[in-house]
Amino acid sequence: MTLSTDHSNAVAPAFRRRALVMLMGLALAGCAVGPNYRRPDAPAVDRFTPSALPASTVSADAVNGDAQRFLRGRDVPQRWWTAFGNQELDRRVHQALAHSPSIAAAQASLRQAQENARAAGGARLPAVDAGAGATREKLSAAQSGAGRVVGPYTLYNASVSVGYTLDLFGGVRRGIEAQEALSDVQRAQLDSTYLTLAGNVVTASLLEASLREQIRATEQIVKMQRDSLDIAEKQRKIGAKSLSDTLAVRAQLATTQATLPPLRARLAATRNRLATYLGVPPAQLEAAPLTLDAVRLPRDIPVSLPSKLVDQRPDIQAASAQLHAASAQVGVATAAMLPQITLSGSAGSQTLSAGDLFSAGTGAWSVGLNLTQPLFHGGELLHKKRAAQAGLDKARADWQQTVLVAFQNVADALQALQYDAQTLAAQATAEQAASQRLALTREQYRLGATGYLDLLDAERSLQQARINLIQARAARLSDTAALYTALGGGWRGDDSTMSPAATASSAAPAVAN
């Protein structure tokens, strides 16, 4: 009997260890419930526009009128804005990327999501906690079981407890997967913020240059009309012209002058918006004037393959990661309806004197295994699972919509470039014709072969033609930038350009708990 008892006492701990190892192995090897994520297929198309792209756009006899070649299958350059060949434009973009609060906010959101993902990963390991306490107690005769009052006395204890939930059905793994996917969402949104900010800076800068040139052209027309008014006043005084001719010139001058305040207001608003992009108040904006003549039109335009767009566009990447997170949440909700097995254990010391803690005879320990099978929760778990499945359907539809919008953006930009080239060619021809007409009308007016109204009409036509030409040049540059951003840009948030605040935050020491 003694030998048998000793043998069983020796075998029991070994059996418990083996059982624990088997249970943990089962937890690690168990399959995860819920769907395994797979990104949907991109649209099966080989081009963005209904008809095939031409080899190049038309050219125009004007500044920035060169033909642009479409290079199918080429990727967008990493710093695409440098293709415009303007140092001031480059400086503005880099300042915005380094100092814009929108970048700092997106970087902080990414760090937050990454820490949440790391925190979720802690569920893979057992939780270990240390505890200590002191309790003052007094037991009644009934409580003590000795038929007499016991105490009062102080009970001191110190212990270490371990708890571990066996992930038999992958609920923990799916939860970690969901958090990691949400981290990927924030990473893609950071890239999207970089891309959008760079595009906004370029577009605002080009609009600023366009408005400056429109104001300059309008001021030249105003000067011409003032000269005409001076001549008309002198001729009226000597009786060569009537008052109606003078009033017509004066009215036209006032009409032209009235177009200047709106242009200046738009220019001021554009510079204020540009200051916000650069991360400074409008009063502190320091930006050298930009002119359209100083901005080079990129001649070679990369056009990525449609299949590549899904990998390049940050908003599509964010939608993909969101779909991944929604897929994992279905697994989390499904696992919550299945049995949960938790292992727990503790070891410590209990004594009536603090100085006797951990001395011989004060040790205490416990080992437990708990099984929980949800039976009735009022439909809560079922409806949470259905909600997760509906969330997955929504995320899939959102992904499809994001892809469609991305393809639309690229198609719009490609077609705009073709039409912009045609518009610029037509506007250049119109401006040349209006300039020649004004010169001819002036000569005819000098010779008395035509009247003031014809001269005023020629001046008005030239003013409008010059404004239209400036707008056409700016549109061609802006739509080129729009194509670069629509294709997803080539630059990513892991580039060396970082906000000083973000760099300092990432370098800060962390304490793990």
Side-chain angles (χ1 to χ4, degrees):
M1 291 292 293
T2 303
L3 291 175
S4 175
T5 303
D6 291 343
H7 178 70
S8 60
N9 289 339
V11 170
F15 175 78
R16 286 196 295 267
R17 286 196 299 271
R18 290 175 182 173
L20 179 60
V21 170
M22 291 176 62
L23 286 172
M24 294 185 68
L26 180 62
L28 295 175
C31 61
V33 295
N36 293 320
Y37 173 71
R38 188 181 74 85
R39 191 182 71 184
D41 295 329
V45 295
D46 60 355
R47 62 174 182 260
F48 294 103
T49 54
S51 58
L53 282 176
S56 64
T57 66
V58 299
S59 60
D61 185 15
V63 179
N64 293 335
D66 296 328
Q68 291 180 301
R69 296 189 305 160
F70 295 115
L71 305 181
R72 190 172 183 272
R74 296 282 187 89
D75 291 333
V76 177
Q78 187 179 28
R79 287 177 170 80
W80 56 266
W81 55 85
T82 61
F84 293 96
N86 186 276
Q87 292 184 352
E88 173 61 18
L89 188 61
D90 297 346
R91 187 198 67 79
R92 294 181 183 186
V93 173
H94 284 289
Q95 178 179 343
L97 297 180
H99 299 289
S100 173
S102 62
I103 296 294
Q107 289 171 333
S109 294
L110 173 58
R111 295 197 304 274
Q112 181 183 31
Q114 289 173 334
E115 293 301 330
N116 285 334
R118 295 186 183 106
R124 292 190 179 100
L125 301 175
V128 181
D129 297 295
T135 304
R136 185 71 174 169
E137 297 184 8
K138 178 181 178 181
L139 302 180
S140 67
Q143 288 176 314
S144 67
R148 61 184 177 84
V149 175
V150 177
Y153 61 91
T154 302
L155 180 65
Y156 298 90
N157 67 83
S159 63
V160 174
S161 60
V162 180
Y164 182 68
T165 299
L166 299 180
D167 194 21
L168 295 177
F169 303 103
V172 172
R173 278 169 285 165
R174 290 301 192 193
I176 297 171
E177 182 183 349
Q179 289 298 326
E180 290 175 344
L182 291 177
S183 176
D184 292 338
V185 171
Q186 293 301 325
R187 182 179 293 105
Q189 289 182 348
L190 173 60
D191 289 341
S192 181
T193 304
Y194 278 114
L195 178 63
T196 301
L197 182 61
N200 286 341
V201 171
V202 172
T203 301
S205 297
L206 294 173
L207 177 58
E208 177 200 10
S210 172
L211 290 170
R212 287 186 185 278
E213 302 230 0
Q214 292 180 51
I215 291 172
R216 189 179 301 112
T218 303
E219 289 174 340
Q220 291 174 353
I221 295 296
V222 167
K223 182 179 182 304
M224 289 168 44
Q225 291 176 347
R226 279 177 177 164
D227 293 341
S228 297
L229 180 59
D230 290 341
I231 295 174
E233 292 283 3
K234 292 176 182 178
Q235 291 182 338
R236 187 180 68 82
K237 289 179 180 179
I238 64 175
K241 293 294 179 182
S242 64
L243 178 61
S244 62
D245 288 338
T246 304
L247 292 176
V249 177
R250 186 173 296 159
Q252 182 59 44
L253 172 61
T255 300
T256 305
Q257 288 176 323
T259 63
L260 284 172
L263 288 174
R264 288 169 177 154
R266 287 187 63 196
L267 176 60
T270 300
R271 287 184 60 80
N272 293 341
R273 185 165 65 252
L274 184 60
T276 302
Y277 294 150
L278 300 186
V280 297
Q284 297 179 357
L285 177 63
E286 295 181 359
L290 197 67
T291 64
L292 293 180
D293 290 345
V295 180
R296 182 180 65 213
L297 178 72
R299 297 183 182 180
D300 294 334
I301 305 299
V303 181
S304 303
L305 297 176
S307 57
K308 194 76 176 291
L309 185 66
V310 175
D311 298 322
Q312 292 180 172
R313 286 266 300 214
D315 56 344
I316 298 180
Q317 293 176 352
S320 297
Q322 194 67 59
L323 178 59
H324 189 176
S327 174
Q329 286 296 343
V330 174
V332 173
T334 303
M337 304 175 68
L338 300 173
Q340 308 291 322
I341 298 179
T342 302
L343 302 178
S344 62
S346 66
S349 174
Q350 291 183 340
T351 179
L352 297 176
S353 172
D356 293 335
L357 282 174
F358 302 109
S359 61
T362 65
W365 59 267
S366 67
V367 176
L369 183 149
N370 297 314
L371 170 65
T372 303
Q373 169 60 61
L375 296 178
F376 179 74
H377 286 248
E380 175 190 359
L381 300 180
L382 174 62
H383 291 298
K384 282 186 175 180
K385 178 181 178 182
R386 290 177 178 175
Q389 291 171 333
L392 178 58
D393 293 339
K394 177 184 180 300
R396 185 179 294 108
D398 288 341
W399 183 90
Q400 293 170 343
Q401 180 65 19
T402 303
V403 171
L404 290 176
V405 171
F407 275 65
Q408 174 198 336
N409 294 157
V410 177
D412 288 345
L414 287 172
Q415 291 171 327
L417 285 184
Q418 299 178 62
Y419 297 137
D420 287 343
Q422 298 171 10
T423 301
L424 180 59
Q427 294 296 350
T429 301
E431 194 273 342
Q432 293 170 3
S435 180
Q436 293 171 0
R437 179 195 172 196
L438 178 59
L440 179 60
T441 304
R442 277 179 176 169
E443 181 63 19
Q444 290 175 338
Y445 176 77
R446 187 182 66 82
L447 298 175
T450 189
Y452 261 108
L453 295 180
D454 290 335
L455 178 60
L456 294 177
D457 184 65
E459 289 177 346
R460 183 170 55 248
S461 297
L462 178 60
Q463 177 201 11
Q464 190 59 53
R466 286 181 175 175
I467 296 297
N468 292 342
L469 179 60
I470 293 169
Q471 292 175 342
R473 290 174 57 196
R476 200 171 188 205
L477 292 167
S478 296
D479 285 335
T480 301
L483 178 60
Y484 283 132
T485 56
L487 288 170
W491 193 77
R492 291 289 179 266
D494 56 1
D495 191 86
S496 59
T497 303
M498 290 287 289
S499 136
T503 303
S505 299
S506 62
V511 178
N513 289 310

